[in-house]
Amino acid sequence: MSGPLFTVADGVQDREAFRAMLVRLGIDSRVVPDGFGGTTIGLDRAGMEQLREWFADHGDARQADAIQRALDA
């Protein structure tokens, strides 16, 4: 894959690669139904917080902020 695994505008681009990344980071995830008859990757609040911290620690404030907004909603 040539682009990022996840973008704020488009979400997860390669679900299998993104899920594998979450496993490497020790973040629990699961495949859940989406609102369009397909599936997406679900994280609980702790997983979202871990992912937000990972993005922040790797200098991606835009994605960390987007996750924080989701947590605050």
Side-chain angles (χ1 to χ4, degrees), residues 21-70:
M21 180 187 92
L22 294 173
V23 169
R24 286 192 305 275
L25 296 174
I27 299 174
D28 290 329
S29 65
R30 62 202 174 289
V31 177
V32 297
D34 66 17
F36 305 100
T39 59
T40 192
I41 296 172
L43 301 173
D44 62 13
R45 184 173 187 86
M48 292 288 288
E49 290 170 348
Q50 287 176 274
L51 188 58
R52 179 200 60 214
E53 290 302 315
W54 185 87
F55 279 124
D57 291 347
H58 287 82
D60 196 335
R62 183 175 177 209
Q63 295 199 58
D65 291 346
I67 292 170
Q68 185 61 54
R69 285 190 301 277

